[in-house]
Amino acid sequence: MRPRSSHSSQLLYAHLILENLVIAVAAPKIGRPQPHVVAYFHLQLRHRRPQPHVANFLVSPIARNRDSPSSVDAKGWNGKQSQKSSKMETLDLTASSPSRTSDSKPQNLNSTSSPLAPSVLRLWRPAAQRNLRNQWPKLASYRQQWTSISSCGRSHATALVNAHLSQRYMPNMELGVLSDMPDIRKRACFKLSKQQVFFFFFCIDRMCTSTLEILRSKLLLSYKDMVVVVSNMINTSRSMRCFFKGANNSPLLQFASFSEDKSDSGDGGGIPVFSFLSISAHEELAEELVQMFRLELCLKRLLVLEFLTIGFETSQDNQLNWSNELYVGEFDHLSNCNLYEDTCGPLPPRLRDGKSDMAALKFDNQPNPEVLQVYLTTWLAEVNIDTFRMNEIFAVVGEEMHTSIF
Amino acid sequence: MEAMVNKFQAKFRKAREDISRWDELQSHLVSQFRNASSIIDRLQVLQISRNYGNLNCIDNIRDALLSKQIESLENILVSMRKTLEEFHNIVLSLEKIHRDGRQLVKGGSSRPTMKQLQQRIGIKPSLTDCLDGLLLLHDIHHSEYLLKSSIILALSAAALKPSGSDLGALLQLLIDQPNIPSEEGMKELFGS
């Protein structure tokens, strides 16, 4: 790409002006623009004007000839300071030293309380920030999932209760003129079993029972989903730390709930990750949040048992009680949530700072409508989840991370 | 005169926007009322610990559940009051539209005569009709707003004393909006 005509030499001049501009732009990147550096470039340019190979600049400003005197602006472009031409060595040093000090200053200030070296923290902090920016929104989305699953579960439970009640009171119910029609119940049941439970009013035979069965399994599925959500929440709340893998200088970082290296606590020595909160403070907030859902899950388990029991034949041997596993693998999930102990089974439901006494527990298969109403209300109210506090936690963390989690 | 009637048409368009907003708020308020009244209905059942069945094994569950329900009832009542405030804004806006209309006719430099006021051009209504229509719109919505305020007040009172109050009747009154004519009546008003 060598210029061959007078026209191209004019072009060349334009490029030189352009290059001059580039230096002015690139200089702040390297650090504070040093007067003598700029002066040097001017000198170089004026000196170089007749040199035709400068047109290389047009092709690729970065992949320039190392020996060319203009290699400094190549460094301005790609920011690397390892490239050194013999001519520019002294200039390189002066140009790059301010950038180093200005980069490390704020970190030095923040890391005064940490036992770790500033260079280590410089690696750790961005990785830890990225990790937290990933984990918190996950918690927020699990919370959304919980809300939708819980409301699904509530509608299943309501349908179950309604179906049961209408079935229970059916024998005393006047069907009026409808009772004269042959097979009316059978037909209605056949049709309604494919439709909403709402119409189960007219259904008293076997079809009804099977629909109760379907509703039971739906409710159980909702419960299972809730267990999975809480389990995910807990895993997320345990993955807030950020560990160094292997040697301290290795750029590889890992996020996990435990570290292979005992000396690495994964919290950067307790320094604030963003502006105020350390890793353990983040963990405390997440734990407070998770605890609400954990307690609520326990309460929901009791309610699910209650709803599964209603209308259940008493003669059956498989009487439900608290220590039954409701679905295959439930106890594994519960023990992951710290809600199951091998000695005493699933932990009993309780309120925060409260106790419970499961000894006298006896599941009634024909509870009063009032009792059922209280159960449904309890499902809806989610007494363990303090919405105000939960929003507060998300707001605090979001402010800390300068992002909105919602 | 015709230009003035056109100006009134613009005012009616504005009033129509206000009223469609009113309808949105109305359905919002009705659902809020339903939620509040179902909580109030439940409160009595929730107060009897016999009704808790197996939940009695959990300490303080009754108090926790009651306080949670009352908390959400309070939230609903607060947001109902906010909705009511928006209804009030609509009433104020309708009042302003009417006032502006009157200003247009009586405050202008060319004060029209009585005959001009009642003159009809083609199928268009007379200026008096326009003014009366705007006044009526403001009046009916204002009365309805006052009625809604007292219904909400009755609801709050019922929250304190659940027994002996007929929330169903109050809800029906809220839905019916007795001060506002039915759809056809409204269409007639907007005929211009």
PDB file of all heavy atoms in Angstrom, chain A residues 73-104:
ATOM      1  N   ASP A  73       1.367   5.036  19.430  1.00  0.00           N
ATOM      2  CA  ASP A  73      -0.084   5.186  19.298  1.00  0.00           C
ATOM      3  C   ASP A  73      -0.763   3.845  19.050  1.00  0.00           C
ATOM      4  O   ASP A  73      -1.940   3.690  19.333  1.00  0.00           O
ATOM      5  CB  ASP A  73      -0.472   6.231  18.250  1.00  0.00           C
ATOM      6  CG  ASP A  73       0.368   6.158  17.019  1.00  0.00           C
ATOM      7  OD1 ASP A  73       0.208   5.174  16.270  1.00  0.00           O
ATOM      8  OD2 ASP A  73       1.185   7.056  16.852  1.00  0.00           O
ATOM      9  N   ALA A  74      -0.002   2.886  18.567  1.00  0.00           N
ATOM     10  CA  ALA A  74      -0.559   1.538  18.508  1.00  0.00           C
ATOM     11  C   ALA A  74      -0.872   1.061  19.919  1.00  0.00           C
ATOM     12  O   ALA A  74      -1.887   0.437  20.189  1.00  0.00           O
ATOM     13  CB  ALA A  74       0.414   0.584  17.850  1.00  0.00           C
ATOM     14  N   LYS A  75      -0.012   1.426  20.837  1.00  0.00           N
ATOM     15  CA  LYS A  75      -0.275   1.039  22.228  1.00  0.00           C
ATOM     16  C   LYS A  75      -1.464   1.785  22.771  1.00  0.00           C
ATOM     17  O   LYS A  75      -2.228   1.264  23.571  1.00  0.00           O
ATOM     18  CB  LYS A  75       0.957   1.350  23.074  1.00  0.00           C
ATOM     19  CG  LYS A  75       1.960   0.254  22.909  1.00  0.00           C
ATOM     20  CD  LYS A  75       3.288   0.714  23.370  1.00  0.00           C
ATOM     21  CE  LYS A  75       4.304  -0.192  22.766  1.00  0.00           C
ATOM     22  NZ  LYS A  75       5.589   0.426  22.664  1.00  0.00           N
ATOM     23  N   GLY A  76      -1.591   3.025  22.310  1.00  0.00           N
ATOM     24  CA  GLY A  76      -2.770   3.767  22.719  1.00  0.00           C
ATOM     25  C   GLY A  76      -4.031   3.059  22.263  1.00  0.00           C
ATOM     26  O   GLY A  76      -5.012   3.019  22.961  1.00  0.00           O
ATOM     27  N   TRP A  77      -3.967   2.440  21.131  1.00  0.00           N
ATOM     28  CA  TRP A  77      -5.158   1.771  20.603  1.00  0.00           C
ATOM     29  C   TRP A  77      -5.481   0.498  21.358  1.00  0.00           C
ATOM     30  O   TRP A  77      -6.606   0.284  21.750  1.00  0.00           O
ATOM     31  CB  TRP A  77      -4.940   1.402  19.129  1.00  0.00           C
ATOM     32  CG  TRP A  77      -5.255   2.501  18.208  1.00  0.00           C
ATOM     33  CD1 TRP A  77      -4.398   3.425  17.728  1.00  0.00           C
ATOM     34  CD2 TRP A  77      -6.518   2.805  17.679  1.00  0.00           C
ATOM     35  NE1 TRP A  77      -5.039   4.289  16.911  1.00  0.00           N
ATOM     36  CE2 TRP A  77      -6.359   3.933  16.856  1.00  0.00           C
ATOM     37  CE3 TRP A  77      -7.788   2.243  17.791  1.00  0.00           C
ATOM     38  CZ2 TRP A  77      -7.412   4.502  16.165  1.00  0.00           C
ATOM     39  CZ3 TRP A  77      -8.828   2.807  17.106  1.00  0.00           C
ATOM     40  CH2 TRP A  77      -8.647   3.946  16.305  1.00  0.00           C
ATOM     41  N   ASN A  78      -4.473  -0.330  21.518  1.00  0.00           N
ATOM     42  CA  ASN A  78      -4.849  -1.619  22.112  1.00  0.00           C
ATOM     43  C   ASN A  78      -4.543  -1.695  23.603  1.00  0.00           C
ATOM     44  O   ASN A  78      -4.833  -2.696  24.236  1.00  0.00           O
ATOM     45  CB  ASN A  78      -4.187  -2.775  21.355  1.00  0.00           C
ATOM     46  CG  ASN A  78      -2.676  -2.689  21.397  1.00  0.00           C
ATOM     47  OD1 ASN A  78      -2.137  -1.948  22.208  1.00  0.00           O
ATOM     48  ND2 ASN A  78      -2.017  -3.431  20.545  1.00  0.00           N
ATOM     49  N   GLY A  79      -3.967  -0.638  24.114  1.00  0.00           N
ATOM     50  CA  GLY A  79      -3.803  -0.570  25.551  1.00  0.00           C
ATOM     51  C   GLY A  79      -2.752  -1.500  26.122  1.00  0.00           C
ATOM     52  O   GLY A  79      -2.586  -1.582  27.332  1.00  0.00           O
ATOM     53  N   LYS A  80      -2.043  -2.202  25.317  1.00  0.00           N
ATOM     54  CA  LYS A  80      -1.041  -3.109  25.872  1.00  0.00           C
ATOM     55  C   LYS A  80       0.223  -2.340  26.189  1.00  0.00           C
ATOM     56  O   LYS A  80       0.650  -1.475  25.436  1.00  0.00           O
ATOM     57  CB  LYS A  80      -0.721  -4.203  24.859  1.00  0.00           C
ATOM     58  CG  LYS A  80      -1.683  -5.350  24.938  1.00  0.00           C
ATOM     59  CD  LYS A  80      -1.231  -6.428  23.987  1.00  0.00           C
ATOM     60  CE  LYS A  80      -2.349  -7.425  23.802  1.00  0.00           C
ATOM     61  NZ  LYS A  80      -2.121  -8.235  22.612  1.00  0.00           N
ATOM     62  N   GLN A  81       0.800  -2.716  27.276  1.00  0.00           N
ATOM     63  CA  GLN A  81       2.024  -2.026  27.641  1.00  0.00           C
ATOM     64  C   GLN A  81       3.240  -2.938  27.579  1.00  0.00           C
ATOM     65  O   GLN A  81       4.335  -2.543  27.935  1.00  0.00           O
ATOM     66  CB  GLN A  81       1.873  -1.439  29.049  1.00  0.00           C
ATOM     67  CG  GLN A  81       1.028  -0.191  29.013  1.00  0.00           C
ATOM     68  CD  GLN A  81       0.229   0.006  30.258  1.00  0.00           C
ATOM     69  OE1 GLN A  81       0.416  -0.719  31.218  1.00  0.00           O
ATOM     70  NE2 GLN A  81      -0.647   0.972  30.238  1.00  0.00           N
ATOM     71  N   SER A  82       3.019  -4.157  27.143  1.00  0.00           N
ATOM     72  CA  SER A  82       4.151  -5.080  27.092  1.00  0.00           C
ATOM     73  C   SER A  82       4.978  -4.874  25.830  1.00  0.00           C
ATOM     74  O   SER A  82       6.160  -5.162  25.813  1.00  0.00           O
ATOM     75  CB  SER A  82       3.631  -6.507  27.130  1.00  0.00           C
ATOM     76  OG  SER A  82       2.736  -6.700  26.074  1.00  0.00           O
ATOM     77  N   GLN A  83       4.311  -4.373  24.800  1.00  0.00           N
ATOM     78  CA  GLN A  83       5.053  -4.119  23.571  1.00  0.00           C
ATOM     79  C   GLN A  83       6.087  -3.035  23.795  1.00  0.00           C
ATOM     80  O   GLN A  83       5.773  -1.977  24.304  1.00  0.00           O
ATOM     81  CB  GLN A  83       4.083  -3.637  22.498  1.00  0.00           C
ATOM     82  CG  GLN A  83       3.464  -4.753  21.717  1.00  0.00           C
ATOM     83  CD  GLN A  83       2.685  -4.177  20.564  1.00  0.00           C
ATOM     84  OE1 GLN A  83       2.564  -2.966  20.439  1.00  0.00           O
ATOM     85  NE2 GLN A  83       2.182  -5.050  19.732  1.00  0.00           N
ATOM     86  N   LYS A  84       7.263  -3.330  23.426  1.00  0.00           N
ATOM     87  CA  LYS A  84       8.279  -2.291  23.626  1.00  0.00           C
ATOM     88  C   LYS A  84       9.193  -2.223  22.420  1.00  0.00           C
ATOM     89  O   LYS A  84       9.769  -3.225  22.004  1.00  0.00           O
ATOM     90  CB  LYS A  84       9.120  -2.589  24.863  1.00  0.00           C
ATOM     91  CG  LYS A  84       8.438  -2.117  26.122  1.00  0.00           C
ATOM     92  CD  LYS A  84       9.208  -2.488  27.323  1.00  0.00           C
ATOM     93  CE  LYS A  84       8.359  -2.273  28.550  1.00  0.00           C
ATOM     94  NZ  LYS A  84       8.948  -2.879  29.716  1.00  0.00           N
ATOM     95  N   SER A  85       9.266  -1.079  21.880  1.00  0.00           N
ATOM     96  CA  SER A  85      10.293  -0.890  20.850  1.00  0.00           C
ATOM     97  C   SER A  85      11.487  -0.236  21.511  1.00  0.00           C
ATOM     98  O   SER A  85      11.371   0.484  22.489  1.00  0.00           O
ATOM     99  CB  SER A  85       9.749  -0.025  19.723  1.00  0.00           C
ATOM    100  OG  SER A  85       9.608   1.285  20.209  1.00  0.00           O
ATOM    101  N   SER A  86      12.625  -0.510  20.983  1.00  0.00           N
ATOM    102  CA  SER A  86      13.850  -0.028  21.623  1.00  0.00           C
ATOM    103  C   SER A  86      13.852   1.495  21.701  1.00  0.00           C
ATOM    104  O   SER A  86      14.278   2.075  22.679  1.00  0.00           O
ATOM    105  CB  SER A  86      15.047  -0.526  20.839  1.00  0.00           C
ATOM    106  OG  SER A  86      14.886  -0.112  19.494  1.00  0.00           O
ATOM    107  N   LYS A  87      13.273   2.113  20.683  1.00  0.00           N
ATOM    108  CA  LYS A  87      13.302   3.575  20.648  1.00  0.00           C
ATOM    109  C   LYS A  87      12.400   4.177  21.723  1.00  0.00           C
ATOM    110  O   LYS A  87      12.685   5.231  22.256  1.00  0.00           O
ATOM    111  CB  LYS A  87      12.810   4.052  19.286  1.00  0.00           C
ATOM    112  CG  LYS A  87      13.907   4.237  18.278  1.00  0.00           C
ATOM    113  CD  LYS A  87      13.291   4.918  17.086  1.00  0.00           C
ATOM    114  CE  LYS A  87      14.311   4.963  15.941  1.00  0.00           C
ATOM    115  NZ  LYS A  87      13.712   5.498  14.721  1.00  0.00           N
ATOM    116  N   MET A  88      11.291   3.541  21.979  1.00  0.00           N
ATOM    117  CA  MET A  88      10.261   4.172  22.784  1.00  0.00           C
ATOM    118  C   MET A  88      10.259   3.725  24.235  1.00  0.00           C
ATOM    119  O   MET A  88       9.323   4.004  24.962  1.00  0.00           O
ATOM    120  CB  MET A  88       8.888   3.861  22.184  1.00  0.00           C
ATOM    121  CG  MET A  88       8.759   4.197  20.742  1.00  0.00           C
ATOM    122  SD  MET A  88       8.907   5.952  20.513  1.00  0.00           S
ATOM    123  CE  MET A  88       7.343   6.466  21.137  1.00  0.00           C
ATOM    124  N   GLU A  89      11.268   3.025  24.611  1.00  0.00           N
ATOM    125  CA  GLU A  89      11.212   2.396  25.926  1.00  0.00           C
ATOM    126  C   GLU A  89      10.971   3.401  27.046  1.00  0.00           C
ATOM    127  O   GLU A  89      10.086   3.241  27.873  1.00  0.00           O
ATOM    128  CB  GLU A  89      12.501   1.651  26.180  1.00  0.00           C
ATOM    129  CG  GLU A  89      12.364   0.666  27.313  1.00  0.00           C
ATOM    130  CD  GLU A  89      13.433  -0.382  27.218  1.00  0.00           C
ATOM    131  OE1 GLU A  89      14.224  -0.328  26.281  1.00  0.00           O
ATOM    132  OE2 GLU A  89      13.477  -1.237  28.093  1.00  0.00           O
ATOM    133  N   THR A  90      11.727   4.458  27.043  1.00  0.00           N
ATOM    134  CA  THR A  90      11.590   5.426  28.130  1.00  0.00           C
ATOM    135  C   THR A  90      10.221   6.065  28.105  1.00  0.00           C
ATOM    136  O   THR A  90       9.594   6.261  29.145  1.00  0.00           O
ATOM    137  CB  THR A  90      12.653   6.535  28.001  1.00  0.00           C
ATOM    138  OG1 THR A  90      12.622   6.986  26.646  1.00  0.00           O
ATOM    139  CG2 THR A  90      14.012   5.996  28.354  1.00  0.00           C
ATOM    140  N   LEU A  91       9.751   6.316  26.906  1.00  0.00           N
ATOM    141  CA  LEU A  91       8.462   6.959  26.788  1.00  0.00           C
ATOM    142  C   LEU A  91       7.347   6.054  27.297  1.00  0.00           C
ATOM    143  O   LEU A  91       6.411   6.506  27.949  1.00  0.00           O
ATOM    144  CB  LEU A  91       8.223   7.263  25.316  1.00  0.00           C
ATOM    145  CG  LEU A  91       7.423   8.520  25.067  1.00  0.00           C
ATOM    146  CD1 LEU A  91       8.158   9.362  24.070  1.00  0.00           C
ATOM    147  CD2 LEU A  91       6.051   8.175  24.622  1.00  0.00           C
ATOM    148  N   ASP A  92       7.484   4.797  27.002  1.00  0.00           N
ATOM    149  CA  ASP A  92       6.513   3.823  27.474  1.00  0.00           C
ATOM    150  C   ASP A  92       6.336   3.886  28.977  1.00  0.00           C
ATOM    151  O   ASP A  92       5.230   3.894  29.499  1.00  0.00           O
ATOM    152  CB  ASP A  92       6.974   2.414  27.116  1.00  0.00           C
ATOM    153  CG  ASP A  92       6.283   1.921  25.871  1.00  0.00           C
ATOM    154  OD1 ASP A  92       5.260   2.543  25.497  1.00  0.00           O
ATOM    155  OD2 ASP A  92       6.757   0.955  25.307  1.00  0.00           O
ATOM    156  N   LEU A  93       7.427   3.923  29.627  1.00  0.00           N
ATOM    157  CA  LEU A  93       7.381   3.897  31.093  1.00  0.00           C
ATOM    158  C   LEU A  93       6.662   5.124  31.629  1.00  0.00           C
ATOM    159  O   LEU A  93       5.789   5.029  32.481  1.00  0.00           O
ATOM    160  CB  LEU A  93       8.804   3.834  31.646  1.00  0.00           C
ATOM    161  CG  LEU A  93       9.438   2.454  31.503  1.00  0.00           C
ATOM    162  CD1 LEU A  93      10.889   2.508  31.925  1.00  0.00           C
ATOM    163  CD2 LEU A  93       8.674   1.425  32.317  1.00  0.00           C
ATOM    164  N   THR A  94       7.025   6.262  31.077  1.00  0.00           N
ATOM    165  CA  THR A  94       6.384   7.469  31.601  1.00  0.00           C
ATOM    166  C   THR A  94       4.894   7.471  31.281  1.00  0.00           C
ATOM    167  O   THR A  94       4.092   7.971  32.053  1.00  0.00           O
ATOM    168  CB  THR A  94       7.030   8.737  31.010  1.00  0.00           C
ATOM    169  OG1 THR A  94       7.093   8.558  29.597  1.00  0.00           O
ATOM    170  CG2 THR A  94       8.397   8.962  31.587  1.00  0.00           C
ATOM    171  N   ALA A  95       4.579   6.909  30.126  1.00  0.00           N
ATOM    172  CA  ALA A  95       3.174   6.958  29.733  1.00  0.00           C
ATOM    173  C   ALA A  95       2.329   5.977  30.521  1.00  0.00           C
ATOM    174  O   ALA A  95       1.162   6.225  30.763  1.00  0.00           O
ATOM    175  CB  ALA A  95       3.035   6.670  28.238  1.00  0.00           C
ATOM    176  N   SER A  96       2.906   4.871  30.911  1.00  0.00           N
ATOM    177  CA  SER A  96       2.068   3.849  31.530  1.00  0.00           C
ATOM    178  C   SER A  96       2.014   3.955  33.049  1.00  0.00           C
ATOM    179  O   SER A  96       1.076   3.475  33.666  1.00  0.00           O
ATOM    180  CB  SER A  96       2.565   2.461  31.149  1.00  0.00           C
ATOM    181  OG  SER A  96       3.882   2.321  31.619  1.00  0.00           O
ATOM    182  N   SER A  97       2.994   4.595  33.633  1.00  0.00           N
ATOM    183  CA  SER A  97       2.992   4.595  35.102  1.00  0.00           C
ATOM    184  C   SER A  97       1.798   5.328  35.713  1.00  0.00           C
ATOM    185  O   SER A  97       1.249   4.856  36.705  1.00  0.00           O
ATOM    186  CB  SER A  97       4.310   5.153  35.629  1.00  0.00           C
ATOM    187  OG  SER A  97       4.505   6.455  35.131  1.00  0.00           O
ATOM    188  N   PRO A  98       1.361   6.444  35.145  1.00  0.00           N
ATOM    189  CA  PRO A  98       0.196   7.074  35.781  1.00  0.00           C
ATOM    190  C   PRO A  98      -1.038   6.193  35.736  1.00  0.00           C
ATOM    191  O   PRO A  98      -1.838   6.220  36.657  1.00  0.00           O
ATOM    192  CB  PRO A  98      -0.027   8.347  34.946  1.00  0.00           C
ATOM    193  CG  PRO A  98       1.045   8.411  33.952  1.00  0.00           C
ATOM    194  CD  PRO A  98       1.849   7.181  33.994  1.00  0.00           C
ATOM    195  N   SER A  99      -1.168   5.423  34.681  1.00  0.00           N
ATOM    196  CA  SER A  99      -2.377   4.599  34.575  1.00  0.00           C
ATOM    197  C   SER A  99      -2.402   3.552  35.676  1.00  0.00           C
ATOM    198  O   SER A  99      -3.445   3.253  36.232  1.00  0.00           O
ATOM    199  CB  SER A  99      -2.429   3.929  33.206  1.00  0.00           C
ATOM    200  OG  SER A  99      -1.625   2.780  33.214  1.00  0.00           O
ATOM    201  N   ARG A 100      -1.259   3.016  35.989  1.00  0.00           N
ATOM    202  CA  ARG A 100      -1.242   1.987  37.036  1.00  0.00           C
ATOM    203  C   ARG A 100      -1.679   2.550  38.369  1.00  0.00           C
ATOM    204  O   ARG A 100      -2.515   1.989  39.043  1.00  0.00           O
ATOM    205  CB  ARG A 100       0.181   1.435  37.167  1.00  0.00           C
ATOM    206  CG  ARG A 100       0.275   0.068  36.527  1.00  0.00           C
ATOM    207  CD  ARG A 100       1.603  -0.535  36.729  1.00  0.00           C
ATOM    208  NE  ARG A 100       1.947  -1.302  35.557  1.00  0.00           N
ATOM    209  CZ  ARG A 100       3.179  -1.502  35.158  1.00  0.00           C
ATOM    210  NH1 ARG A 100       4.183  -0.978  35.814  1.00  0.00           N
ATOM    211  NH2 ARG A 100       3.418  -2.226  34.094  1.00  0.00           N
ATOM    212  N   THR A 101      -1.131   3.692  38.711  1.00  0.00           N
ATOM    213  CA  THR A 101      -1.475   4.227  40.035  1.00  0.00           C
ATOM    214  C   THR A 101      -2.948   4.617  40.091  1.00  0.00           C
ATOM    215  O   THR A 101      -3.621   4.348  41.067  1.00  0.00           O
ATOM    216  CB  THR A 101      -0.619   5.453  40.377  1.00  0.00           C
ATOM    217  OG1 THR A 101      -0.608   6.292  39.238  1.00  0.00           O
ATOM    218  CG2 THR A 101       0.781   5.050  40.748  1.00  0.00           C
ATOM    219  N   SER A 102      -3.451   5.185  39.006  1.00  0.00           N
ATOM    220  CA  SER A 102      -4.840   5.647  39.073  1.00  0.00           C
ATOM    221  C   SER A 102      -5.806   4.455  39.130  1.00  0.00           C
ATOM    222  O   SER A 102      -6.874   4.553  39.696  1.00  0.00           O
ATOM    223  CB  SER A 102      -5.162   6.526  37.865  1.00  0.00           C
ATOM    224  OG  SER A 102      -5.182   5.738  36.704  1.00  0.00           O
ATOM    225  N   ASP A 103      -5.424   3.335  38.545  1.00  0.00           N
ATOM    226  CA  ASP A 103      -6.287   2.157  38.588  1.00  0.00           C
ATOM    227  C   ASP A 103      -6.373   1.557  39.976  1.00  0.00           C
ATOM    228  O   ASP A 103      -7.427   1.148  40.418  1.00  0.00           O
ATOM    229  CB  ASP A 103      -5.742   1.072  37.643  1.00  0.00           C
ATOM    230  CG  ASP A 103      -6.398   1.191  36.288  1.00  0.00           C
ATOM    231  OD1 ASP A 103      -7.197   2.133  36.130  1.00  0.00           O
ATOM    232  OD2 ASP A 103      -6.113   0.355  35.422  1.00  0.00           O
ATOM    233  N   SER A 104      -5.237   1.520  40.634  1.00  0.00           N
ATOM    234  CA  SER A 104      -5.202   0.743  41.870  1.00  0.00           C
ATOM    235  C   SER A 104      -5.564   1.576  43.086  1.00  0.00           C
ATOM    236  O   SER A 104      -5.769   1.029  44.149  1.00  0.00           O
ATOM    237  CB  SER A 104      -3.815   0.141  42.050  1.00  0.00           C
ATOM    238  OG  SER A 104      -2.855   1.157  41.932  1.00  0.00           O
TER     239      SER A 104
END
